[in-house]
Amino acid sequence: MAKLLIRGGTPLKGTVEISGSKNSALPIIVAACLAEGESVLENIPRDIDVYTICRILQELGAEIWFDEAGRLHVVPDGLQNYQASYDLVRRMRASFYVAGLLLARLGKAEVPLPGGCALGSRPVDFHLKGFQALGAKISIEHGYVKAEADELVGNKIYINRSSVGTTINLMLAASRAKGTTVLENAAKEPEVVDLAIYLSSMGARIRGAGTDVIRIDGVERLRGTEYVIISDRIEAGTFMVACGITGGELVLTNVVPEHLRSSIMKCEEAGMEIEEDINSIHVRAQGRPVAVDLETAPYPGFPTDLQQPFAAMMSIADGTSIIRETIFDRFRYVDELRRMGADIKVERDTAIIRGVSELTGAQVEATDLRAGAALVLAALAAKGETEISGIELVDRGYEQLDAKLRQLGADVERIDDESNVFEEFLTRPLLRRI
Ligand code: EPZ
């Protein structure tokens, strides 16, 4: 288990470079394996989820490695195994993207059903219904999804509710299907658009990404190419909130302000001053945050992944804020914030947060990636010392968060009980299969 020891009270000040988007990297690394020939991907974050998807694809037969310039090389030509291993897939729900890849590339897939996680039940029924609409035969045996299709044939598919994963998985499968697929009620997240641009650069024929109707004309083959993925809007939002909760002033570089519109507006409503440039934003707190009501929603609404960090800031705001979570069941961090003195009541999908003047340090535990980020932010503002365990969950989606915070003046110490896969990944990058 990895822990962070944080002594709060220091306003964050300085400039931080935001990493590439985890939720763009994962589908794009999988999509690179749909092609023939090497892809070279830039701005890929070195976090645990990226490491996990690379390991899964290596086990399926792809060659994947980081070069000394930090670019990720993917050579999929040796990919011939259609069975993804339970041990790796169970670690991360996004591993289920390999189902779309294997169906499109090999006509066969055996992928473990993603387990539940701290965000409540997260079924993949929309994914499976979409694969069936493309002509795949699906069965579930011993916790594995078994899918088979001699040939995937394009179809018109209505996705029951906005789903990033379903939209992505069906784009992967349809890109090499015979004929045209139309995804109705598709997700509009920037990560979906990034994937569509990358697939198009490989020769796919995709129109409408970023709207709720995406049209994909399947093609025979895709060829590897070079691509720079977008930056991580959730990491950027996390640092914006870190600035607000500590009363600091930050410049965030390598960001796409357009992707942060709803988060910027809510931080401004909370009293922060934000100036945008082409690919950077300047954030300044103006004293204690002001209480703000919000409701999470699919893009371009307020992102569910920032609900928890923003709630941490509201726990010390002036006034009472009402936060409604419409996507997942993700309030387990509230008990941990209460241990730090927060006054929060949860009624079904809504948290009522009565701002207190000060949080105090405590021993707390991260229950999921973004809950862990919320606790880090609370600890940065709290009086005294906070020990946060379960930091390996935060490492899943934030590249070297503690090092970045230290560089902004935070008093953060990392304690690793055992060498974890993160260390292995950082010190011994994914090596080319010889
Ligand atoms: C993606 O998860 C992100 N993960 C999540 O980020 C993000 O919170 C979520 O989209 C919403 O924006 C990645 O991109 C790797 P969904 P995903 O399918 O695709 C229901 C993070 O912290 N649903 O958009 O799993 C589902 O239960 C992670 O980086 C079905 O019912 O989310 C949820 O209520 C957390 N059946 C809703 O749809 C299905 O078959 C939206 O989920 C699929 C989804």
Side-chain angles (χ1 to χ4, degrees):
M1 287 271 267
K3 288 185 180 137
L4 289 186
L5 268 186
I6 298 179
R7 278 166 284 281
T10 312
L12 296 186
K13 292 211 186 307
T15 298
V16 58
E17 181 174 340
I18 299 300
S19 299
S21 163
K22 161 181 86 82
N23 291 347
S24 218
L26 298 175
I28 283 179
I29 294 168
V30 172
C33 294
L34 278 170
E36 285 153 33
E38 179 178 12
S39 279
V40 182
L41 304 172
E42 292 191 40
N43 204 27
I44 298 285
R46 289 185 174 220
D47 56 41
I48 294 285
D49 278 4
V50 164
Y51 178 85
T52 302
I53 203 73
C54 291
R55 288 280 307 282
I56 291 169
L57 293 166
Q58 280 181 331
E59 284 199 351
L60 295 175
E63 281 182 279
I64 303 184
W65 72 98
F66 275 108
D67 65 23
E68 60 294 338
R71 293 175 306 183
L72 188 72
H73 296 249
V74 182
V75 178
D77 303 279
L79 193 152
Q80 77 291 342
N81 176 6
Y82 62 84
Q83 294 170 309
S85 86
Y86 173 70
D87 170 52
L88 285 168
V89 170
R90 70 182 172 81
R91 295 186 196 188
M92 177 180 68
R93 175 182 165 83
S95 316
F96 200 63
Y97 292 153
V98 300
L101 157 68
L102 295 172
L103 260 182
R105 187 177 178 107
L106 304 177
K108 202 168 182 185
E110 279 183 25
V111 182
L113 264 179
C117 80
L119 305 188
S121 91
R122 295 172 73 186
V124 288
D125 51 330
F126 302 162
H127 301 237
L128 302 181
K129 195 178 127 208
F131 291 148
Q132 284 170 322
L134 296 174
K137 283 187 214 55
I138 303 278
S139 65
I140 295 181
E141 295 164 31
H142 312 297
Y144 275 76
V145 171
K146 297 192 174 182
E148 208 159 335
D150 299 338
E151 184 180 52
L152 290 176
V153 179
N155 204 341
K156 195 167 184 163
I157 300 169
Y158 180 80
I159 302 171
N160 285 1
R161 67 177 283 186
S162 177
S163 163
V164 172
T166 304
T167 304
I168 284 174
N169 228 341
L170 297 184
M171 277 170 69
L172 294 172
S175 61
R176 286 188 45 184
K178 193 163 175 303
T180 298
T181 297
V182 179
L183 302 181
E184 298 269 359
N185 197 29
K188 299 184 276 210
E189 271 67 6
E191 294 75 27
V192 170
V193 176
D194 209 19
L195 173 65
I197 296 170
Y198 170 62
L199 281 169
S200 304
S201 74
M202 294 203 290
R205 294 170 50 77
I206 301 177
R207 281 161 290 164
T211 74
D212 49 16
V213 180
I214 301 180
R215 195 177 298 278
I216 303 137
D217 298 324
V219 294
E220 272 290 300
R221 72 183 74 250
L222 298 169
R223 61 189 178 287
T225 181
E226 304 206 349
Y227 192 71
V228 184
I229 75 166
I230 55 173
S231 81
D232 195 310
R233 62 193 170 99
I234 304 302
E235 184 192 16
T238 305
F239 274 97
M240 270 198 314
V241 176
C243 179
I245 200 172
T246 60
E249 178 170 2
L250 295 179
V251 174
L252 311 185
T253 60
N254 186 33
V255 298
V256 181
E258 202 34 52
H259 293 165
L260 286 158
R261 187 63 51 227
S262 58
S263 314
I264 287 173
M265 290 174 75
K266 279 298 171 186
C267 283
E268 286 174 334
E269 213 180 305
M272 294 164 69
E273 212 173 76
I274 299 175
E275 286 149 39
E276 297 173 23
D277 204 336
I278 306 280
N279 58 4
S280 66
I281 50 174
H282 183 172
V283 191
R284 199 191 346 253
Q286 309 285 317
R288 186 179 179 190
V290 172
V292 162
D293 295 343
L294 74 79
E295 181 166 309
T296 63
Y299 191 86
F302 190 89
T304 175
D305 294 343
L306 285 178
Q307 178 260 105
Q308 296 145 305
F310 200 88
M313 180 164 75
M314 290 298 101
S315 67
I316 60 159
D318 183 4
T320 298
S321 70
I322 310 282
I323 293 187
R324 184 160 174 255
E325 171 56 63
T326 68
I327 312 277
F328 291 120
D329 164 15
R330 62 191 310 181
F331 283 124
R332 282 179 54 193
Y333 66 98
V334 166
D335 292 337
E336 301 302 303
L337 280 183
R338 281 202 196 101
R339 293 170 50 72
M340 299 175 72
D343 179 352
I344 307 182
K345 211 154 52 103
V346 175
E347 287 169 8
R348 290 191 315 286
D349 62 357
T350 301
I352 297 118
I353 306 175
R354 222 184 303 278
V356 295
S357 55
E358 188 174 69
L359 295 175
T360 51
Q363 285 173 304
V364 292
E365 178 167 8
T367 49
D368 70 77
L369 162 55
R370 307 303 175 182
L375 294 174
V376 169
L377 268 51
L380 291 171
K383 186 167 181 296
E385 183 173 275
T386 300
E387 179 187 285
I388 308 174
S389 55
I391 288 301
E392 60 283 359
L393 289 173
V394 176
D395 291 339
R396 286 190 50 183
Y398 292 95
E399 184 178 11
Q400 307 211 35
L401 180 62
D402 50 307
K404 290 182 179 178
L405 290 170
R406 261 193 301 278
Q407 176 236 338
L408 297 172
D411 183 344
V412 181
E413 188 191 338
R414 184 187 179 99
I415 305 161
D416 272 321
D417 298 4
E418 70 245 355
S419 88
N420 59 26
V421 74
F422 192 68
E423 288 310 313
E424 178 195 342
F425 178 41
L426 269 190
T427 50
R428 197 165 56 78
L430 295 161
L431 297 180
R432 178 168 196 165
R433 187 189 296 274
I434 34 186

